[in-house]
Amino acid sequence: MKALLVLALGSVCVTAMASEAPTDVAQQQPPIEEYTYSMNLDIAKVISMSEAPNVCEVVPMKMEYEDSNGQRHILRYSAMGNGCSNG
């Protein structure tokens, strides 16, 4: 009977810890900043960049980077897609 109680309490604790994990990750994710031409960017290391789709129009892009203090940032900006030709 005691073993069954320990098993039941253990599964409740594991479930509670599993449900807390995504919130911890969400809190670590930096907010998305919208790029403006007046911004002074401090980019020490680019972590990831979205790829431009094969369309001939302006599309939203994202870049995740670290500044010179080691803080992560996510920057949203607009760029032209790769689907245009000069022909």
Side-chain angles (χ1 to χ4, degrees), residues 2-80:
K2 288 181 184 178
L4 185 59
L5 181 62
V6 169
L7 262 170
L9 288 175
S11 65
V12 169
C13 292
V14 169
T15 304
M17 288 172 37
S19 66
E20 289 178 12
T23 58
D24 291 340
V25 172
Q27 290 174 353
Q28 293 175 358
Q29 191 78 318
I32 296 175
E33 304 170 44
E34 294 291 332
Y35 175 75
T36 62
Y37 288 111
S38 63
M39 290 178 82
N40 291 324
L41 297 175
D42 175 17
I43 301 173
K45 176 183 174 184
V46 174
I47 298 166
S48 66
M49 290 181 68
S50 58
E51 289 189 35
N54 198 22
V55 296
C56 188
E57 60 186 68
V58 176
V59 293
M61 305 281 284
K62 284 186 186 176
M63 175 176 60
E64 186 172 353
Y65 67 94
E66 283 185 2
D67 63 17
S68 59
N69 294 323
Q71 292 183 334
R72 286 193 176 204
H73 299 267
I74 298 176
L75 186 67
R76 185 177 10 220
Y77 61 98
S78 296
M80 195 66 181

